[in-house]
Structure formats: structure tokens, C-alpha cells
Amino acid sequence: LAARGCAVCTVTCAREPDGPIKEDLQKAVCRLRGLDQVVMRFQVDPELLGGFVLEIQGVTYDYSVKGRLNRLAQGLEDAAGGDGLEDLIQSMRNTIQGFQPGEDRSETGRVQEVGDGIATVSGLDRAVYGELVELETGVRGMVMNLTRDSVGVVLLGSEAGIREGTLVRRTGRPADVPVGDKMVGRVVDALGNPIDGLGPIETTERRPIEHEASGVISREPVNVPLQTGILAIDAMVPIGRGQRELIIGDRQTGKTAIAVDTILNQKGQNVICIYVAIGQKASSVARIRDTLKKYGAMDYSIILSATASDSAPLQYIAPYAGAAIGEYFMSQGKDVLIIYDDLSKHAVAYRTLSLLLKRSPGREAYPGDVFYLHSRLLERACRLTKEYGGGSMTALPIIETQAGDVSAYIPTNVISITDGQIYLETDLFFSGQRPAVNVGLSVSRVGGAAQTRAIKKTAGTLRIDLARFRELEVFTQFASDLDAATQQTLDHGRRLLELLKQPLYHPMSMSRQAVVLYAATNGLVDDVPLEEVREFVLGFAQEMENEHAEVMEEIESTGNLSGPAIETIRSVLGDYKKRVSAAWQA
């Protein structure tokens, strides 16, 4: 029909029209669409009340009474935002007086088949990839597949009531989420709707979930530290604002705990934290929210949750929605920390969608563009120059490995995208070394540029000392007689490992880290009994905070360890060691 300059037109009327009206409609449609001939199909729907609805070439013209009433009702609903009764009455009066009962023209299509959260729609000839569409049931969807005869739409809601023939309407805008300062302190779903029972969120702006990453010209070098409060990470695997640092390890090795500790440590640092839960249990997300609330971290945090009970499309868009919210704050010059927990489940959700959309499977059944899936997400994290707002977004993606296999498809993808990784080892975790950071496999490609001078000065030899200890420990585990130098190296390494142990939800301030590291790396605690080392060093740090608060404040504010500060540390350490040595002997 199209090749002959013809088209099929479906006309739905409130009652059956007579012959002359059908002929007039056919001529009018030909003039309207510039066609030589139109094949007319008539349907009767009494619910239209009057008028008719015309569908042709993917465009719907609504001249029905029902459609006009719906548009009037929508206008009245939009106008019902006044503060008082008089404002409400006046706004409704203006809406009714200014109402134009003309046509409602929209581009529409019809559902061909639906199942597993995927709808195949015909008629949306001008649909764009990533565009938001609305179904007549009220559910929204996102276009994710474009073929010659149909489009594949992933449903962002329930498919109840959707069947063959359901009307689908284009919106002409990409899938987006609401953003605004009011979202801070709230728990929202992947579409930005509140799910914490605290009422609606008043936002006036929306941002597309898919957005091109900032260019090279607009980026600033990463050289401002983002302290995690975890000694092992801040000393050896530093993270800078605008960096992308991967947290990787088997399940139940403390990956989420590191992320939560990092959020807790941002208190008072003017950093907005966004925790994106992908495929987690709802109880786990609730537990994290309670922890953040208990320590006062929800005052500067947002939790975006797409739990395991949510559909694959919602789990797929969740990290992009979180990045859109973070970019809103970054554009205002603020620093943002965003955590994706975890991208392994995100890749599985995308694989599910791709297979349902009949895309070709590749390695491990993932589609060929799964690398692009995470690269376009993580590239959005950066630090902007002053000309572009000066904000930053630091990303901490989490990847779960199977039996420590970091050479699997998704782990190697994300390792190659990020600026370093923190590898958590199962054997270390179960041996009591927590956080179970493997120093050999963990690396930060930003390095000392993201450290304060105090930490850089005191932690300079820490990684080398631990590496030497690991090597000697392997070779001497069966030896009985060791020379004094080897024994001293082993004792020093054991004390360093003991100091790196840190309980949950107890982040350490930068000044306290500097004091602890100075005492440890300079061998000032090598004469302390191994089982007393941790308690001794923490007690000494507390002594410094109580008796020499001005020194600790100087280290915290300047980020440097001055000569007088070092002399004070050595003096206080000597006096403190004399006081507690009697307890060791007892």
C-alpha cells in the first residue's frame, strides 16, 4: 500500500457513521496526509461519547468528546496547585475559559506481544532509542530495540492490563528522573519516586538518565583526596575526588562495608553521597539506611534502590538514574560520591533484557556491547574545571567475583575502565584481617596525588614493608632458627597488619591516621607486645587528641606533619609507653 501511495486508516466512532460521512472522512484524510488513496476501517466504541479517533501511519488524531474531557481534566489537575481556595478557584476558572477543544495529535503504536517485561510495538515509526513512551494503562516504557517493522520497549512498571492492541504513545523525550536538593536524605526507586514513606519529593527539574560524559577539556586532574576513613585504603590505595576506584572480591568479604564506612567518613566534608543498590535484598537496603541514619549520614545521602524483587528494566536503569542525580549536584559545583552496589547484577539484568530482545549472545551469554554498558556509566565520574562548575563525582563501583576469579568477563571489563581497584581476599577475611585488603593486587592509578602530605610522608614505606613481610613469611613458615634481621622484619610486619585491622563503622580521621602511621612505620611500636599493639596505638592517638588537640587540629587543617608536630608525637609516645609498660609486665 505504501508503494502505491496508499495507507490504512482506522476510525473509531461513538456510533456507526453513514455512507456520505465515510466518504467525506476518506477525502479529508487524503488531503490531510497527502495520499492518493486511503483504505478505511471503521470501529464503534460507545465510550467515546461523541466524535471520532483517527489512526493513520503511526499518528493518532483524537476528536472525541472523551478525549476533550480527559484533556480538560488534566488541565484542571495541573492548575490545582494554589495555596488557598481562592487561588484554586481562579486557576480552575482560567483553565476552563482558556480551554481549546481542538484535536489531540500524537504519534502512537499498538502492542503486538508482551511478556517478561518486554513489549513489541508496531507503528512507532519515528521512535528514538532511549525514548520514553507511555502505554494507555499508565505504565511507562523505554525504547531499547529498533527494527524495520517494530520497536522493542522495556516496561518500567507492571505489565498487568497490557495485551495485544494496547495503545502506546510517544513522549518525544528521553527517559529521565527528577533531580533536586530535596532528594537528599531520601530513599527513592529507579524512577526517582520516594519509597521511604516520608511523602512526595518536591522537584522542579528532570535530567535524562543517559547523558554524554564530560569532555577532556572540561576535566581537572584528580589531586584532591577523598578520605575513606579506612587506614589500609587511605595509606596504600588512596582515592581522589573525581576518581573511579573498583571494589572487587567474593561475596561476604566486606565490599559494602567499605562503601558504607566511606559514606560515614564524609560527615562534615561537604560531600553528597549516593548509594545505588542494584539487585540487593530489600532487607539489606533497609539495614544500610538504618546504619546511615544511626550515624547521622542520611543528612547528606541519597539511597536509590532497585532490589532483587524489581524487574530487570528497573535494575538496568538504576545506576544511570543515580549518575543523573549526581551530575545535578556536580553541575552546581558540589562534590559527589556515588556507589554502585553492584555492577555484576547490573550486567546480569542487561543480559536478561538483551536476550529477551533477541539480541545475539556472546561470551558468557552477555551481549557484545556489555563493555560499553559500564564504560559510558563510569566515564561520567570526573572532576570539572572551575569554568564548568568545579564539581566532582567520585565513583566506587562494586563487582562480585566467583571464587576469586578476577579474569572473568565482567571483572576484567570494569578493571580496565576504572582507575584502580581494591581487592578483598576471602582467605584474609576469614583469618581475621578485616578489612581484607590484598595489598599486592590492590592499586590506585592516581596514587600519591590523592594523598595529603601527612599521609604520604608517614605511609611511604608501608606497602614495601608489608610486601617484604609477605615474602619472608612464605619462605620462613617451616624454618625453626631465624637470624635477628629476619625475625625483626617479621615482627614489624605482624604489627603493621595488626594496626590495619579496623572495626565496622569506625572511620578514622586523617590526623589520627597520620599519628598511627608515623608510630608504626618508624618502628616506634616494635617493642610493644603483639597482642597489645592495636590497643596501645589507639590509646596513644586518643592521648594526642585529649592532651594536644592543637597539634591534631593543625595536621587536620593543613594536611601536613610539621617538625614540631613530630617532636610532640615522639615525646608523648615515650611518656605514654612508660605509663602502660607496667601493665604489660603485670
Side-chain angles (χ1 to χ4, degrees):
L1 287 173
R4 298 174 187 171
C6 303
V8 176
C9 176
T10 302
V11 181
T12 306
C13 306
R15 57 184 178 272
E16 184 71 29
D18 54 22
I21 293 179
K22 290 182 179 180
E23 292 178 3
D24 291 342
L25 271 175
Q26 188 171 15
K27 294 177 181 177
V29 170
C30 288
R31 288 197 304 270
L32 178 67
R33 304 298 296 181
L35 298 170
D36 297 332
Q37 186 179 354
V38 174
V39 178
M40 306 292 288
R41 294 192 306 188
F42 289 90
Q43 299 174 350
V44 177
D45 183 2
E47 292 185 359
L48 295 183
L49 303 178
F52 61 90
V53 176
L54 186 148
E55 294 181 43
I56 182 171
Q57 295 179 326
V59 181
T60 299
Y61 300 89
D62 190 346
Y63 293 95
S64 67
V65 175
K66 180 182 177 182
R68 295 172 183 176
L69 291 175
N70 288 337
R71 295 198 298 278
L72 178 60
Q74 183 63 46
L76 292 174
E77 185 177 332
D78 295 340
D83 296 330
L85 183 60
E86 293 295 331
D87 293 338
L88 176 62
I89 294 173
Q90 185 60 40
S91 60
M92 292 178 71
R93 183 182 291 119
N94 293 339
T95 301
I96 294 172
Q97 290 175 349
F99 178 69
Q100 298 293 330
E103 70 174 32
D104 179 19
R105 182 184 182 277
S106 58
E107 295 186 34
T108 58
R110 296 281 180 177
V111 172
Q112 290 180 330
E113 58 180 345
V114 62
D116 298 315
I118 304 292
T120 304
V121 182
S122 63
L124 295 180
D125 299 336
R126 298 177 181 85
V128 179
Y129 186 90
E131 182 180 356
L132 198 67
V133 296
E134 291 181 350
L135 286 81
E136 60 180 328
T137 59
V139 173
R140 293 186 174 184
M142 185 170 65
V143 177
M144 277 195 64
N145 217 36
L146 300 173
T147 64
R148 182 181 296 274
D149 302 318
S150 62
V151 299
V153 174
V154 296
L155 302 177
L156 305 177
S158 172
E159 59 183 69
I162 301 173
R163 58 187 182 276
E164 184 181 356
T166 298
L167 191 69
V168 183
R169 192 184 305 270
R170 284 188 64 193
T171 63
R173 58 187 176 90
D176 53 16
V177 288
V179 295
D181 296 333
K182 298 286 186 180
M183 299 193 78
V184 178
R186 302 298 298 271
V187 183
V188 299
D189 63 12
L191 299 174
N193 303 314
I195 55 175
D196 51 7
L198 300 179
I201 302 175
E202 297 179 5
T203 56
T204 57
E205 189 176 339
R206 301 183 72 90
R207 291 183 73 99
I209 61 171
E210 294 273 12
H211 187 264
E212 188 176 352
S214 301
V216 176
I217 301 300
S218 61
R219 296 189 180 219
E220 187 88 5
V222 176
N223 51 26
V224 178
L226 186 132
Q227 298 284 335
T228 66
I230 301 171
L231 187 61
I233 294 175
D234 289 340
M236 294 180 289
V237 198
I239 300 172
R241 298 190 180 187
Q243 189 177 343
R244 302 152 301 176
E245 185 78 9
L246 172 64
I247 303 174
I248 186 170
D250 286 4
R251 65 184 304 271
Q252 299 296 321
T253 51
K255 302 185 295 298
T256 302
I258 286 179
V260 173
D261 272 347
T262 305
I263 293 176
L264 298 182
N265 196 55
Q266 304 314 308
K267 192 170 187 177
Q269 304 295 321
N270 196 26
V271 176
I272 303 293
C273 300
I274 303 173
Y275 177 81
V276 182
I278 311 164
Q280 305 293 321
K281 292 187 294 186
S283 58
S284 301
V285 179
R287 194 180 306 116
I288 289 172
R289 177 186 178 274
D290 291 342
T291 301
L292 296 181
K293 193 171 183 180
K294 176 182 176 183
Y295 292 97
M298 279 304 291
D299 296 339
Y300 53 86
S301 300
I302 303 169
I303 296 178
L304 192 147
S305 174
T307 60
S309 61
D310 289 325
S311 63
L314 291 177
Q315 294 183 43
Y316 163 70
I317 70 168
Y320 300 104
I325 296 172
E327 284 176 332
Y328 166 78
F329 293 104
M330 182 172 68
S331 65
Q332 295 182 334
K334 298 180 180 179
D335 293 313
V336 179
L337 169 67
I338 185 164
I339 293 155
Y340 305 111
D341 189 9
D342 63 53
L343 292 188
S344 302
K345 295 183 178 66
H346 180 236
V348 169
Y350 184 63
R351 176 172 64 184
T352 302
L353 291 180
S354 298
L355 294 176
L356 289 171
L357 290 167
K358 299 179 176 60
R359 294 180 182 173
S360 300
R363 177 179 167 187
E364 297 181 27
Y366 289 104
D369 62 341
V370 73
F371 179 89
Y372 181 58
L373 174 78
H374 291 149
S375 64
R376 74 176 188 267
L377 169 69
L378 295 173
E379 282 295 329
R380 293 164 73 172
C382 65
R383 182 167 173 236
L384 298 174
T385 61
K386 292 287 190 295
E387 292 79 13
Y388 288 87
S392 72
M393 187 160 69
T394 309
L396 295 184
I398 295 176
I399 287 288
E400 183 180 297
T401 56
Q402 305 291 331
D405 183 15
V406 295
S407 63
Y409 191 24
I410 301 303
T412 50
N413 278 353
V414 183
I415 285 172
S416 63
I417 295 167
T418 51
D419 306 315
Q421 67 274 350
I422 299 167
Y423 179 65
L424 303 180
E425 192 174 355
T426 308
D427 293 341
L428 284 176
F429 184 84
F430 289 119
S431 67
Q433 186 68 36
R434 302 176 186 177
V437 178
N438 183 312
V439 181
L441 295 178
S442 300
V443 65
S444 171
R445 297 190 182 99
V446 175
Q451 279 181 312
T452 59
R453 284 176 292 176
I455 300 295
K456 192 187 299 186
K457 179 187 289 188
T458 54
T461 61
L462 184 59
R463 185 187 283 270
I464 298 172
D465 291 345
L466 284 174
R468 188 184 296 123
F469 164 72
R470 292 288 190 197
E471 187 178 3
L472 284 176
E473 188 182 35
V474 172
F475 285 108
T476 60
Q477 57 184 334
F478 301 112
S480 56
D481 53 336
L482 302 173
D483 61 273
T486 303
Q487 190 62 52
Q488 182 181 0
T489 302
L490 290 171
D491 290 343
H492 181 61
R494 291 191 185 99
R495 282 163 174 77
L496 290 179
L497 284 179
E498 197 67 27
L499 288 176
L500 293 180
K501 293 179 180 178
Q502 197 167 332
L504 274 177
Y505 313 139
H506 284 80
M508 196 180 292
S509 66
M510 190 271 292
S511 55
R512 180 175 278 226
Q513 286 183 8
V515 168
V516 169
L517 286 171
Y518 182 83
T521 54
N522 286 278
L524 301 180
V525 294
D526 285 355
D527 55 344
V528 178
L530 181 62
E531 62 276 6
E532 301 287 345
V533 166
R534 177 163 178 76
E535 186 178 347
F536 171 79
V537 172
L538 293 179
F540 162 62
Q542 190 63 47
E543 178 93 358
M544 285 290 298
E545 288 181 350
N546 294 341
E547 303 297 330
H548 298 276
E550 71 284 352
V551 175
M552 302 296 276
E553 289 174 4
E554 177 196 337
I555 298 173
E556 195 75 41
S557 59
T558 63
N560 192 24
L561 204 60
S562 62
I566 291 175
E567 292 177 8
T568 304
I569 291 172
R570 284 184 169 273
S571 173
V572 174
L573 183 63
D575 296 340
Y576 183 74
K577 191 179 293 184
K578 289 177 183 176
R579 283 209 313 273
V580 299
S581 59
W584 299 338
Q585 295 171 359

